[in-house]
Amino acid sequence: MNKFRFLTSGESHGQCLTAIIEGLPSGITIDENFINNELKRRQQGYGRGERMKIENDTVQITSGVRFGKTLGSPITLIIKNQDFESWKKVMSSSPEDITDEKTFSTYRPGHADYAGSVKYCQKDLRNILERSSARQTAIEVAIGAIAKLLLKELGIVGTSKVTQIGSACCCEDFKEEIDIMRGKGDTLGGKFVVLYKNLPVGLGSFVHWDRKIDGKLAQVIMSIPAVKVVEIGTNPLGYQGSNYHDEIFIKDGEIAHKTNNAGGIEGGMTNGEDLVITGVMKPIPTMKTPLKTVDSITLQETEAHFERSDVCAVEACAVVAEARVAWVLADEILIKYGSDSIDELKRNYYGSYPKE
Ligand code: EPS
């Protein structure tokens, strides 16, 4: 069972996004500035849309933390949607406010609109868009920041970077690609890499499929909106066993691998090398130059709904992926070394073989 557990709630244009996190030990230092900086990173990146000019994502911690330290009780996080001011009536929970404003019925190909409306029996696709929007990744990054603060107590740190936008693999060309697509009313996807360092050996397990850490990591990356590909380590296609697998040797008196094609995971467990995960994000399906589609009410062929969107959000996606990997690592740390206080956790962690 998961030890680092949480639920999120909130619609894209609703009042706020909320999370309740449970399972963290007491005594972890919680730096609100760090969380807010992670939120800022998610909002940035060339190609983001008008919404990011409205929002200034900052977290409010309403439980579980006192004087900058976790209490061991559930932590509640809230991020207010600034845009809610313009959507109060449209997003009202009261039946008295019912309105046709902002309803739409033309499915956006590639988004959750069609399957979601069939599944939840909705004609107004606003009822699908609101929760399926990538807006919810803001609160996920705040949860990831809390997970990162736990990891930081043990010296584990993560970063990410964008390695491809459209067909451009060199960051000098990213802006140009995005500008061309903006001019066409089109969107662009891309590739990103997440890297975590200083991991212990043995997070995850080989004994059952659902305890393998690579499977858990693949799930959290694949379920980010618009992600279609996840790779761990070097893509093995075209390699022979002899030049793909990472030979083991003694380095400065310790066991190490000569290369890291496995991306830090062998047998569903961390092997002490850097964790390296690549994700590919498809182009955002909400497009200014709309695709052909069908209207869910008239069943006539028409053009897809567009309000506003990002041209490219791969940079934001990389930050979200970094946060989600932190969830998994924090969970695995708590499963392996778990305890009620950070002091106890550190004793377990530093006292365990083979970490000194
Ligand atoms: C997002 C907020 C959304 C979108 C984007 C991500 O805001 P709005 O719908 O008001 O423009 O900008 O989500 C999508 C494009 C999508 O298709 O889900 C955010 O906060 O990251």
Side-chain angles (χ1 to χ4, degrees), residues 10-16 51 80-81 83-84 87 91 130:
E11 275 74 44
S12 180
H13 304 96
Q15 201 164 333
C16 59
R51 178 75 186 267
K80 283 198 173 145
N81 287 322
D83 208 17
F84 179 62
W87 290 74
M91 294 306 292
E130 285 294 330

Side-chain angles (χ1 to χ4, degrees), residues 112-146:
D113 304 350
Y114 169 60
S117 68
V118 172
K119 181 174 173 66
Y120 289 97
C121 205
Q122 299 286 344
K123 288 284 180 216
D124 176 7
L125 303 181
R126 167 78 39 210
N127 291 337
I128 305 304
L129 174 152
E130 285 294 330
R131 181 65 183 164
S132 63
S133 164
R135 176 75 194 140
Q136 43 114 7
T137 60
I139 198 75
E140 294 177 354
V141 167
I143 299 165
I146 299 269

Side-chain angles (χ1 to χ4, degrees), residues 12-13 42 48 51-52 57 83 87 108 111 129 132-135 137-138 284-286 307-310:
S12 180
H13 304 96
R42 193 201 73 96
R48 294 287 260 152
R51 178 75 186 267
M52 290 303 102
D57 293 339
D83 208 17
W87 290 74
R108 290 164 302 163
H111 222 298
L129 174 152
S132 63
S133 164
R135 176 75 194 140
T137 60
I284 287 173
T286 312
E307 211 159 65
R308 69 180 165 210
S309 185
D310 307 301

Side-chain angles (χ1 to χ4, degrees), residues 220-238:
V220 294
I221 304 298
M222 188 60 102
S223 56
I224 299 171
V227 167
K228 300 300 271 185
V229 178
V230 184
E231 288 171 8
I232 297 184
T234 310
N235 188 321
L237 267 180

Side-chain angles (χ1 to χ4, degrees), residues 223-347:
S223 56
I224 299 171
V227 167
K228 300 300 271 185
V229 178
V230 184
E231 288 171 8
I232 297 184
T234 310
N235 188 321
L237 267 180
Y239 275 87
Q240 296 169 17
S242 54
N243 57 13
Y244 179 77
H245 295 295
D246 308 307
E247 288 189 313
I248 300 171
F249 74 122
I250 300 290
K251 184 184 169 192
D252 305 327
E254 301 221 347
I255 290 177
H257 296 79
K258 284 189 183 161
T259 49
N260 189 22
N261 287 320
I265 298 178
E266 289 174 302
M269 296 165 293
T270 52
N271 65 3
E273 302 296 338
D274 292 349
L275 176 64
V276 186
I277 307 175
T278 302
V280 177
M281 184 190 190
K282 71 182 181 182
I284 287 173
T286 312
M287 287 163 54
K288 197 167 183 181
T289 304
L291 293 171
K292 296 273 183 295
T293 190
V294 166
D295 187 297
S296 68
I297 295 166
T298 65
L299 296 183
Q300 297 297 304
E301 289 184 6
T302 179
E303 289 186 338
H305 170 77
F306 176 81
E307 211 159 65
R308 69 180 165 210
S309 185
D310 307 301
V311 179
C312 178
V314 184
E315 274 195 51
C317 191
V319 176
V320 174
E322 205 184 297
R324 285 179 170 223
V325 170
W327 303 345
V328 174
L329 296 176
D331 189 41
E332 291 295 337
I333 289 282
L334 293 173
I335 290 170
K336 186 160 167 54
Y337 307 99
S339 50
D340 298 315
S341 70
I342 189 67
D343 290 345
E344 199 176 17
L345 177 72
K346 282 185 178 172
R347 268 202 310 276

Side-chain angles (χ1 to χ4, degrees), residues 1 200-217 264-271 328-329 331-333 335-336:
M1 194 178 109
V201 177
L203 297 181
S205 177
F206 60 88
V207 304
H208 278 298
W209 66 271
D210 59 348
R211 291 180 59 191
K212 292 187 176 220
I213 197 169
D214 38 7
K216 293 183 181 188
L217 289 164
I265 298 178
E266 289 174 302
M269 296 165 293
T270 52
N271 65 3
V328 174
L329 296 176
D331 189 41
E332 291 295 337
I333 289 282
I335 290 170
K336 186 160 167 54

